[in-house]
Amino acid sequence: MNKGYAVFCDADRQFYDAPHRLSTDAQGRGAQYPILSRELPAGWQRHRSGDWLAFRPLDRELPRQGWKIHVSACLDNAERVLTTVWEYCVPRSVAFKCMPSRYLLHIRNAKYTDRGASGKFITIYPADEEQCRVIAEELDALLAGEPGPYILSDLRWGAGPVYVRYGSFTERHCYDDKGELCPAVEDDRGRLVPDRREPAFRVPEWVSLPEFLKPHLEARSATTVADLPYAIERALHFSNGGGVYVGRDLRTQRQVVLKEARPYAGLAADEADAVARLARERDALRRLSGLGVAPEVVDWFTLGEHTFLVLEYVEGRPLNSFFAHRHPLIESDPSPQRLAEYTRWALRIHRLVEEAVEAIHARGVVFNDLHLFNIMLSEDESSVVLLDFEAASVDDPGSRQVIANPGFVAPADRRGPDVDRYALACLRLALFLPLTSLFAVDRAKARHLAQIAAEQFPVPVEFLDAAVEEILRGYRSPGGAAGPEAPSRSVTRPETRSVVRSVAGTVVPSVTESAGGSVSGSAPEAVQRSSDDGRGGGGRRADAYLPVSLADWPRSRDSAVRAVLASATPEREDRYFPGDIGQFAITGGGTCFAYGAAGVLYALDATGAERCPQAEEWLLQRTKAPASGSPVGFYDGLSGVAWVLDRLGHRARALDLVDLVTAQNWQDIGPDLHGGLAGVGLALDELAESTGASGLREQALRCAELVAHRLGRAVAGDEPAGPARRAGLLHGDSGAALLFLRLYERTRDGALLDLAGDALRHELTRCVRSAGGTLQVNEGWRTMPYLGAGSVGIGMVLDDYLAHRHDDGFAAARGEIVQAAQAKFYAQPGLFRGAAGMVLYLSRTTAPGPGTSAADLRRQIDSLSWGAVPYQGHLAFAGEQMMRLSMDLSTGTAGCLLALGSALHEKPVHLPFLPPLQRP
C-alpha cells in the first residue's frame, strides 16, 4: 500500500485531488491564516505553487541555488510563527513561501507523508551566505522557545525551529539515475544534477559548509545510542512519526521491539503527535498485560528529544503474509477442495481475531486500527496477537478512529467498540476479497463483494450477511437510498459452479471449444456471444450492482464514456479529467498520456466513442506554451501529447511540441518507454510516418542509438552506481526492445532485431519462476505479473519478437508468462497494475494455449468488474490504491475501457506501438 495517496483524498469524496484544493469546510479546514490576506507593499508578488503560497519582491534577483532557511511550527503556534516571519521578511525585502493553512501544515506533518518534507512550514530565500547567517541568527532569537517538528533533511540552527539546507531556489529539473525527472541544482562543472531531498542532512560534494554552520553540525552529532541498554539490530519500518526497530536487551539477551516517537511530528486525525500516540499505546498495553493478545511493555525512555517504547518481540507473521500465500484465487482454477480448505481457514482465523477483540473490549480498550497488517498470527496458526495500539482508547466509549488502514476506515457515526466491530465486518470480506478500500467511494460495494465471495467460495451466507449488515448500517448512497436494502438476506448462493461466470455475477454458458483447445470463432466474438443469457440487458442480473455488464459491448463502452465525460472539469487549469495523483507530481501531469487528457482522448477515439471537442480544445490551450520542466517522455510528457494530437488531427500543434522534444538534451534521459528515449523514439517514428517529416525518422534512429548504448552498458554490468534499473514494459528494457522492433519493421536492419533480442534476454534475467510455474518480475521483496512493471508486459513484446524470429527460450518464457495472467484475483482493476492489463494481454497474445482461450479471457473480464463502482449511474473504475475513482488511462476508467475494447470491439484496439497481432 502506498500511504502517500491518503493525503489526496480529503479535497474530493470521489476523486484524488491536490490537498490545497480543499475548500473551507464546517470545521474550518482549508481556511488560510488571516495574515496572508494582509496587503503587500508595492512591487511584491504573491503566487501559488502547489501547496505553497509564495511571496517575493520583484526588484530583487535571487540566486538560482544556495543555502536556504526553513522554519518549522506546530499547529497551535503556526500563526504566531508565520506572523513573526512575515513581519521580519517583508520590510527587509526577503522572499519566502509558506504552507498557507492549518490543514496543509497538518497533512505535511501527518504520519505517512514524505519524511524529507516533514516540518517545513516556511521557506526563506537569502540573497547569499552572509544574509543566510544574519537571517538565521535573527529569526532564531525572535522565535526562541517556539516548538516545531525536526526537519530531517536540514541542519538545525541551535535548539529552535530554524533550519538550513543547500538546494535549488528556482524550478529547474534534470533526470536522476533512474532516468526520472526530478528537481535539480547545478554542480561545480555547470551540470544539472538531482537536488536530493531525503530525510537526512547532506551537503553536495562540491559545496563547502560555511564556518557559521559547523558548530550546529557538531551539535547534531552529539546524541548517540551508545549508552542504551539495547542494541538496535535492524529497522522494520519508518514513518513521519519515527522508526520501529528490532533490537536486543543487552541485560537479558532477549529480542525486543523499539518504537520511536518524534515530538510534534507524525500527526493523527485528532492532531496528536507521535509521542502522544506512543503514550496511548503504552497505557493501552499496560491495561492488557497478561491477556496474551497484545505485546507486553518492557521499557519507556527518552533519548535526546525522541521517546521510545520497548515491547516484547512477538513471534509470527502478519495476517496479510499468510493471506498472500494461502489465497486460492491467485490460481487460475482452484479445486473445490482448495476453496473449501481456505474457507475453513479464513473462518477460523476470523473467529480468533474476533475473540481477541472481545477480550480487549472486556478490559476497557478499543483497538481503533484493526486490519490485516496489524494482526500477528503465530507460525502454527493457533493464536493471534494484535499490534500497534497507538490509536487505541482506554475507558472511552465515545472515542473516534484517528488512524486507519484505507480498507478499514470506520464511518463517522461509529464510536468506541463499534469502530472495531466495523473493522471486524470488513475483515470478513477482506479475507476473501481484499477490496474493502472501495468502501471509501461507495459502501454499497460491500453487498457486491459479498455476492462475489459467495460465488467463489463455499462460505456460509449468514457470515457474509452479518458483514454487509454492519458495514451498511445507517448508510445512504450518493443517490439517497438507505442501506441495507430489502430483502433482509443480501447475499444469495449461486445454484451451481459448473458453468463459466461472466461479468457482475451473471451466469453464462461456456463457449464450445474444439479438442485442440481453440474456440470456435475469434475471442472477441466468443466473449460477445456469451454476454446474453436470455435475461435481457445483455445478461445483466436484475439486482446487479453495476449499471451494465462489462461483456455487454458496446453498452459497457457507452456507459464508461458517459462516466468519463461526467467527471470532466473544463474550468480547471491543471486537469480536465480526474485521474491518479501523478497528475500533481509532474509538470503538465493533467495533459499527459498516462494520467491526463491525452490518454483519455486516445481511449475514447480508439474504442469508437464520440470525440470530445471541448477536451481537445482544452488540451490545445494547455500546450500552447508548456511549462518549464515539462517531461519529454511518451507516457509522462510532451511526445505522448504530440502523438495523440496528431492522431486527432491537430498536426500543427503536434509538430510544435515535437520541436520542443527534439531541442532537449537527451544524454541524461532514461532509456525506458514511460518517460524515456524508447517512448520518444517510438513517437517520433510514427510521427515521421504520418507527417512525412523525414527528419523525425532520423531523430527516432538517434534515440535507438542512445538506448542501444545504455543497453550495452547494462548487459555488460557497466551502468553507473545508483538504484537498480526496473523491469517491465514501461520502465524496463522491454520498451527498448519495442523501439528496436518497430524500427526494424521500417528499415529491415537485422542489427535492430538482434538488439531487441538482447534487450528481452536482459529483461528475462530479472524474472523468476514461482512455485506454480508462472514467470514474474522479481522486485526483491515481491514478484509482479502486471502489464506495466511485470512479466505480462514483457510477454507482449516477446509476442512481437517471435512474429519475426523464432527463439526457443522466448517461446518457453511466454508460455510461463501466459500462466501469470491466469489468476482469478488481482488487487486492482487498472491497466498497468491490475486486471485490465491481463484482459488486454490475453486478447492480443499469440501464445498457444492453455490459458489463451475465450473462456480464459472472459474470466478476466469478470474479475475486472470486481474493481468497478458506479459513478452517476455509469460504469467507472477505482484508481490506484482504490480509495478514489480514476478516469485516466494508466490507473483508471480509460485504461479499463481500452482493455475491454481490445477484447470486445469489432476492430480490436490496442496500446500505442503494440497493434493487434494475427492470432492463431
Side-chain angles (χ1 to χ4, degrees), residues 71 117 151 180 192 222 269 320 323 373 385 413 447 497 508 521 525 530 545 547 876 918:
V71 179
I151 300 176
E180 296 176 358
L192 289 180
N320 70 295
F323 170 88
F373 294 80
V385 173
D413 63 349
R447 185 178 289 110
R497 294 179 182 275
V508 298
E525 291 171 346
S530 73
Y545 168 75
Q918 186 65 41

Side-chain angles (χ1 to χ4, degrees), residues 50-121:
D51 290 347
W52 294 94
L53 190 61
F55 304 86
R56 73 182 186 94
L58 297 177
D59 62 348
R60 298 294 176 95
E61 189 72 27
L62 284 176
R64 288 192 160 192
Q65 62 194 51
W67 290 98
K68 54 186 174 182
I69 297 170
H70 288 115
V71 179
S72 70
C74 302
L75 298 179
D76 292 337
N77 71 333
E79 188 170 358
R80 187 168 64 246
V81 169
L82 178 58
T83 300
T84 299
V85 172
W86 175 291
E87 294 178 347
Y88 179 89
C89 288
V90 172
R92 293 168 175 79
S93 294
V94 176
F96 67 100
K97 66 181 181 181
C98 68
M99 287 285 111
S101 69
R102 182 185 182 100
Y103 167 72
L104 289 174
L105 180 59
H106 185 176
I107 64 169
R108 177 158 288 255
N109 291 327
K111 181 177 180 181
Y112 287 116
T113 47
D114 178 21
R115 295 171 65 225
S118 173
K120 295 176 183 176
F121 174 43

Side-chain angles (χ1 to χ4, degrees), residues 1 49 59 85 91 99 126 215 274 392 395 410 456 488 527 570 709 737 740 815 839 869 918:
M1 181 182 70
S49 176
D59 62 348
V85 172
M99 287 285 111
D395 296 334
Q456 300 294 329
S488 59
V527 175
H709 177 68
F740 299 141
V839 172
V869 177
Q918 186 65 41

Side-chain angles (χ1 to χ4, degrees), residues 671-875:
D672 60 278
L673 174 62
H674 187 272
L677 291 175
V680 172
L682 285 161
L684 294 178
D685 173 59
E686 287 209 355
L687 286 165
E689 188 70 16
S690 66
T691 66
S694 59
L696 296 185
R697 179 68 41 71
E698 295 172 6
Q699 296 280 16
L701 290 169
R702 177 173 166 243
C703 284
E705 290 175 6
L706 291 169
V707 172
H709 177 68
R710 306 274 181 83
L711 176 65
R713 294 178 65 186
V715 171
D718 293 334
E719 287 185 301
R725 288 257 304 276
R726 297 161 69 181
L729 178 65
L730 292 184
H731 302 286
D733 290 330
S734 294
L738 185 60
L739 173 63
F740 299 141
L741 282 168
R742 296 288 88 97
L743 291 175
Y744 164 74
E745 290 166 353
R746 301 274 194 219
T747 66
R748 292 298 162 180
D749 180 352
L752 288 165
L753 194 57
D754 294 339
L755 284 169
D758 292 342
L760 288 168
R761 274 182 278 275
H762 194 233
E763 282 280 74
L764 291 173
T765 65
R766 302 174 189 180
C767 295
V768 294
R769 289 171 180 81
S770 70
T774 68
L775 196 66
Q776 300 191 29
V777 168
N778 180 15
E779 292 192 340
W781 60 285
R782 65 180 178 182
T783 59
M784 295 289 279
Y786 296 118
L787 180 61
S791 56
V792 161
I794 300 172
M796 293 268 283
V797 187
L798 285 173
D799 283 335
D800 286 65
Y801 181 91
L802 290 167
H804 295 292
R805 179 185 290 172
H806 181 72
D807 184 290
D808 288 337
F810 288 174
R814 75 167 176 171
E816 295 169 331
I817 289 172
V818 164
Q819 300 311 307
Q822 300 304 304
K824 298 186 89 174
F825 174 79
Y826 295 98
Q828 301 184 130
L831 183 63
F832 290 124
R833 283 170 55 88
M838 304 307 173
V839 172
L840 188 143
Y841 168 68
L842 290 177
S843 70
R844 180 184 188 271
T845 185
T846 53
T852 59
S853 71
D856 299 303
L857 178 57
R858 189 168 57 254
R859 184 178 66 244
Q860 291 302 353
I861 293 175
D862 187 14
S863 297
L864 180 58
S865 74
W866 299 358
V869 177
Y871 173 68
Q872 296 189 14
H874 309 306
L875 180 65

Side-chain angles (χ1 to χ4, degrees), residues 242-323:
V244 180
Y245 312 91
V246 173
R248 191 166 300 279
D249 189 328
L250 298 176
R251 297 160 297 190
T252 64
Q253 294 305 307
R254 68 171 174 170
Q255 211 163 30
V256 293
V257 171
L258 297 93
K259 299 190 71 172
E260 173 192 28
R262 298 174 55 221
Y264 315 122
L267 304 182
D270 64 349
E271 301 183 354
D273 72 356
V275 176
R277 290 188 287 102
L278 199 63
R280 288 177 186 167
E281 179 162 18
R282 175 201 61 195
D283 295 344
L285 292 177
R286 285 175 175 169
R287 174 67 68 89
L288 300 175
S289 180
L291 201 56
V293 297
E296 295 290 336
V297 174
V298 175
D299 199 359
W300 171 268
F301 65 90
T302 299
L303 178 66
E305 297 182 0
H306 295 199
T307 300
F308 288 82
L309 174 64
V310 185
L311 304 174
E312 70 166 325
Y313 182 86
V314 177
E315 298 285 350
R317 286 185 287 160
L319 180 55
N320 70 295
S321 174
F322 283 91
F323 170 88

